[in-house]
Amino acid sequence: MTESTDPQSTGPAAEDRKLITLARSTRARNGVPEGAAVRDETGRTYVAGTVDLGSLKLSALQTAVAMAVASGAKSLEAAAVVTEAGTAADADRAAVRDLGGPQTPVLLAGPDGTLRLTTPAG
């Protein structure tokens, strides 16, 4: 995992900040533990929160990837998850990797929207 602390950078690029903002908004609006957003190869975004039903449990990032697949996305450019966790779960990174490939960046932000780290899905 690599931290996104590039001294030349002022933070994540505008499109990545948008993913974090969308994920954060979904988390807050739905009152769920995590919010996530992914951007596909055409620039479309898919946003989701944690799913916790008796018969179905998906993390926010798994749900966002599933929404992208169900909408016809062929690849992912980036993924973001807003959570209190300190790392992106292996299952979340695997879902991103399955659609986007091992180099797809997974942005992890805290509930306040602060980017904590960026790691490749692979």
Side-chain angles (χ1 to χ4, degrees):
M1 294 183 195
T2 59
E3 290 187 36
S4 84
T5 54
D6 180 348
Q8 303 283 332
S9 174
T10 58
E15 289 300 309
D16 292 344
R17 283 194 308 271
K18 177 182 170 185
L19 287 180
I20 292 169
T21 299
L22 290 169
R24 184 174 181 228
S25 296
T26 295
R27 180 181 182 270
R29 180 177 53 250
N30 296 339
V32 291
E34 296 180 340
V38 298
R39 184 175 60 247
D40 74 9
E41 76 283 359
T42 68
R44 292 181 298 177
T45 56
Y46 306 89
V47 182
T50 309
V51 174
D52 190 4
L53 301 173
S55 63
L56 180 64
K57 297 192 185 314
L58 295 170
S59 72
L61 198 47
Q62 290 170 329
T63 306
V65 170
M67 291 173 66
V69 170
S71 296
K74 304 291 184 226
S75 183
L76 294 178
E77 292 181 350
V81 61
V82 173
T83 180
E84 291 186 15
T87 61
D90 290 342
D92 287 349
R93 290 185 13 259
V96 172
R97 182 177 57 246
D98 285 348
L99 186 57
Q103 295 306 314
T104 306
V106 178
L107 311 164
L108 181 88
D112 65 353
T114 301
L115 180 64
R116 292 183 182 161
L117 62 93
T118 300
T119 185

